[in-house]
Amino acid sequence: MGSVSLSNDDYRVLVAEDDPASRAATRLFLQRFGYRVGESQDGPGTLREASVGRYDLVVLDLGLPGLDGEEVLGRLRRDSALPVIVLTGRAEESERIRVLDLGADDYMVKPCSLPELEARIRAVLRRGQPVQPSSRIEHGDLVIDRSTHRVAVDGEIVELTPKEFHLLAFLAESPDQVFSREDLLEHVWGSTQEWQDPATVTEHIRRLRLKLEVDPSTPRWLHTVRGVGYRFADMGRHTP
Ligand code: CA
């Protein structure tokens, strides 16, 4: 094993590559250097994995099935500050410029040398990530990503309506704080036509619990404060 000046143990890298052989080779190589490596093999899978997998960097093959690689890059860049190193088979200058314009942190033409890829990963990580105030809210297994509007529990995406999402994100942003149904109507529903009916809140909380909670009658996250309203708190895993 080569000696490295940087401890990579805490870095998580997503390798997005549809070719199984080069994906495995890249993964094994990076693991030798101590990176924790995840994999994806198509465009939608890459976006999903990147949004829930807590990665520090993505190595993105531009030729992925399911979604155009530049579209994947554009969305990654729009939705997160996650550094991206693009791998592409196309070496033209116009292609390189387009990819860099889309916000790639670095760029390599395939077939690329794995030692060089690792060096570039290290360089990008060392530059440090301009971590914007995170759009992610994390409470244990629950991850709420405000930029992508995705919610995952234990790595599984949970389908929420936009209002359910806003309600959950609003509550989870201020854990332990109690909000009345009127507060929630004002903040989450604003001036929409449902804003006057507190039963709307009750019903949305009920549906959120059904979708998120292992046992909706004994919620882990969404708690009723009798006579007052609701609060978000992480009470930890249910013990059977
Ligand atoms: Ca490919």
Side-chain angles (χ1 to χ4, degrees), residues 173-194:
E173 238 173 21
S174 305
D176 298 322
Q177 198 174 323
V178 183
F179 295 95
S180 69
R181 293 191 298 177
E182 289 72 19
D183 289 335
L184 294 171
L185 280 173
E186 186 185 326
H187 285 105
V188 179
W189 275 265
S191 56
T192 62
Q193 47 191 337
E194 301 158 298

Side-chain angles (χ1 to χ4, degrees), residues 17-18 61 63 110:
E17 165 66 73
D18 58 317
D61 170 27
K110 292 167 87 174

Side-chain angles (χ1 to χ4, degrees), residues 7-13 34-36 54-56 125:
S7 165
N8 297 319
D9 302 357
D10 296 328
Y11 288 128
R12 289 174 56 90
V13 174
Y35 296 96
R36 297 163 67 192
R54 303 182 198 184
Y55 289 98
D56 299 296
L125 290 172

Side-chain angles (χ1 to χ4, degrees), residues 34-231:
Y35 296 96
R36 297 163 67 192
V37 181
E39 299 175 41
S40 59
Q41 47 192 319
D42 58 29
T46 299
L47 291 173
R48 193 163 55 239
E49 184 62 18
S51 79
V52 298
R54 303 182 198 184
Y55 289 98
D56 299 296
L57 183 143
V58 181
V59 176
L60 177 66
D61 170 27
L62 220 49
L64 288 178
L67 198 59
D68 177 68
E70 292 185 10
E71 176 71 20
V72 175
L73 173 60
R75 288 202 206 172
L76 283 173
R77 189 40 75 242
R78 195 180 63 218
D79 296 342
S80 73
L82 197 57
V84 180
I85 297 180
V86 162
L87 309 183
T88 175
R90 286 167 284 180
E92 298 89 33
E93 183 186 49
S94 60
E95 169 76 2
R96 296 201 300 271
I97 290 170
R98 192 157 63 245
V99 163
L100 292 171
D101 277 347
L102 278 169
D105 294 82
D106 204 348
Y107 177 98
M108 289 185 79
V109 175
K110 292 167 87 174
C112 57
S113 110
L114 288 173
E116 185 179 350
L117 174 62
E118 196 280 326
R120 289 180 185 231
I121 288 172
R122 220 174 333 126
V124 169
L125 290 172
R126 201 183 272 145
R127 248 182 256 156
Q129 295 138 256
V131 180
Q132 54 202 15
S134 180
S135 61
R136 286 158 71 98
I137 306 168
E138 299 189 21
H139 292 280
D141 306 329
L142 177 66
V143 178
I144 301 164
D145 192 321
R146 300 170 121 278
S147 57
T148 58
H149 277 214
R150 285 208 184 86
V151 171
V153 174
D154 208 5
E156 296 285 318
I157 300 275
V158 180
E159 299 293 338
L160 299 181
T161 66
K163 275 290 177 285
E164 288 166 355
F165 180 89
H166 282 127
L167 177 59
L168 175 65
F170 179 79
L171 286 166
E173 238 173 21
S174 305
D176 298 322
Q177 198 174 323
V178 183
F179 295 95
S180 69
R181 293 191 298 177
E182 289 72 19
D183 289 335
L184 294 171
L185 280 173
E186 186 185 326
H187 285 105
V188 179
W189 275 265
S191 56
T192 62
Q193 47 191 337
E194 301 158 298
W195 75 276
Q196 295 179 82
D197 185 2
T200 301
V201 177
T202 314
E203 176 57 18
H204 278 73
I205 292 280
R206 189 184 72 80
R207 280 193 246 144
L208 274 173
R209 282 178 179 152
L210 286 173
K211 290 181 179 182
L212 298 176
E213 303 278 4
V214 175
D215 176 3
S217 62
T218 318
R220 169 176 171 181
W221 289 297
L222 293 166
H223 304 273
T224 302
V225 181
R226 209 164 280 285
V228 186
Y230 299 99
R231 79 187 165 98

